[in-house]
Each structure stands twice: as structure tokens, then as C-alpha cells.
Amino acid sequence: MSDGEYLVFIDGDCIPHPDFVADHVRLATRGVVMGGRRVETGKPLSDMLESWGELPKKYFHKARIRILKSIFRESLGKTLSQLRRTWRFPYISGKPLGIKEQGILGANFGIFRSDFEKVNGFDERYTDPGTGEDCDLDLRLENAGIGHRKASHYALMLHRHHDRLDWSSDKNAALYVAARKNKTTYVATGINR
């Protein structure tokens, strides 16, 4: 359905930072899929987000304060990890800090359309939850010579809490193992059938 030169993917259970799209645009690099990360909110923060109905101004700041308040109720490591992922770093001399070589997270990544079409997009045979279409896409992009990077402190988002999905899918696992073994790049079961 899209017609843009650059594609940004987000899951429906995520709330992007106000600068989410602007960050993806600034980080856009041909031949590279740029992945962001997300803040796993946990149930208390997720309940607070849902109680708002409409997002208030400075909602990311308010979420950060809520995470800080939970520091004594939840594990310190989890709380610090959540806090770290809520900070957006400024660009220094026009360059972002904290870019690493790392695979994508299906809930938050950007890619040039031409790079996405090079592998024919998502493999539509992945229909079960678990290891699936995003892992497969990341693998095939890598096989096709498309790099992948993670932007830790840009293109931020909050991921609303929900029960974990069943990650066991023999069908998905078999598809992924075959793609890895065969060094698959292009799949016929993608956007252009």
C-alpha cells in the first residue's frame, strides 16, 4: 500500500516517540536496514498509558518518570534497562551516537524501498507467531549484502505490555533453517508474486 522511497515499520502495540519518523529519516542509509529498539513498559506503565485515552504532551517524559517511580518495586537491572531506552541522544555535528552493527527488531526498522524489494519483502509463508518474518527478512537482507545497524537512542518507542506469544512453531523454524542453510535472498512468496 505504501508508495514512499523509504519505508518505516512499527507494530500496532507500540507508541512512537514524537521524533520517531524524523529520526528514521535522518538515519536512512542506502544499503542498510536501520533498526530502532523499544522500551518494554511492563504492566503498571502500560496500564497508565492506556488510562490516558489520548496521549498528553510530553508523554515520553511522563513514561520515564513512571519508570523511575518503579525503581524500588521492580528489579534494578530491568528498571535501568527501561530508563536507558527512553533517552534520545542529540546529534553531535550532525552524526548520531550509539549506532551498532546488530540485527533488526520487527517492531521498529526503516529501509529504502529498493533494498526491501531486492529480497522481495517479507516471506508471506510465515503466519505463526514466534521466530518469523522479521528474523527471516533480516537474514535474507544480510545474505543479499544489505547491512543492518541498531540505533539505540533514536527512533524510540514504548511497547505496550501483553502476555508473551507462543514462540514454538515448527513451520516457522523449518522455513528459517532452510533460508539460513540455502543463504536465501529473494523469495517468490513476497510482495511481488
Side-chain angles (χ1 to χ4, degrees), residues 35-39 85 102-105 108 150-151 155-157:
R37 285 300 181 257
R38 62 190 184 192
V39 180
R85 291 183 178 189
Q102 189 170 333
I104 63 171
L105 178 69
N108 183 354
K150 175 188 86 166
L156 307 176
M157 63 170 44

Side-chain angles (χ1 to χ4, degrees), residues 1-7 9 30 33 109 111-122 137 140-141 144 146 185-188 190-193:
M1 299 294 291
S2 67
D3 59 9
E5 181 185 10
Y6 194 73
L7 308 172
F9 292 84
R30 289 197 184 278
V33 57
F109 71 95
I111 185 170
F112 275 92
R113 174 183 292 280
S114 56
D115 293 333
F116 189 68
E117 290 175 344
K118 187 174 183 179
V119 297
N120 202 19
F122 290 105
L137 177 66
R140 289 185 294 108
L141 288 166
I146 307 292
T185 56
Y186 190 92
V187 290
I191 52 177
N192 294 317
R193 288 181 169 244

Side-chain angles (χ1 to χ4, degrees), residues 56-121:
K57 288 184 179 181
K58 298 188 178 181
Y59 59 90
F60 238 82
H61 175 72
K62 290 179 183 199
R64 188 178 302 123
I65 289 170
R66 176 65 185 82
I67 292 169
L68 268 172
K69 286 181 178 177
S70 73
I71 203 162
F72 298 109
R73 284 186 295 243
E74 300 190 33
S75 76
L76 183 61
K78 178 181 177 185
T79 303
L80 293 178
S81 174
Q82 286 176 315
L83 275 177
R84 182 180 59 80
R85 291 183 178 189
T86 65
W87 293 105
R88 185 175 175 272
F89 288 167
Y91 289 85
I92 307 298
S93 301
K95 295 184 179 177
L97 298 174
I99 303 297
K100 298 178 183 175
E101 293 289 329
Q102 189 170 333
I104 63 171
L105 178 69
N108 183 354
F109 71 95
I111 185 170
F112 275 92
R113 174 183 292 280
S114 56
D115 293 333
F116 189 68
E117 290 175 344
K118 187 174 183 179
V119 297
N120 202 19

Side-chain angles (χ1 to χ4, degrees), residues 4-28:
E5 181 185 10
Y6 194 73
L7 308 172
V8 177
F9 292 84
I10 180 173
D11 279 358
D13 58 359
C14 294
I15 302 169
H17 186 279
D19 294 309
F20 178 80
V21 173
D23 281 347
H24 268 293
V25 169
R26 286 187 77 177
L27 294 167

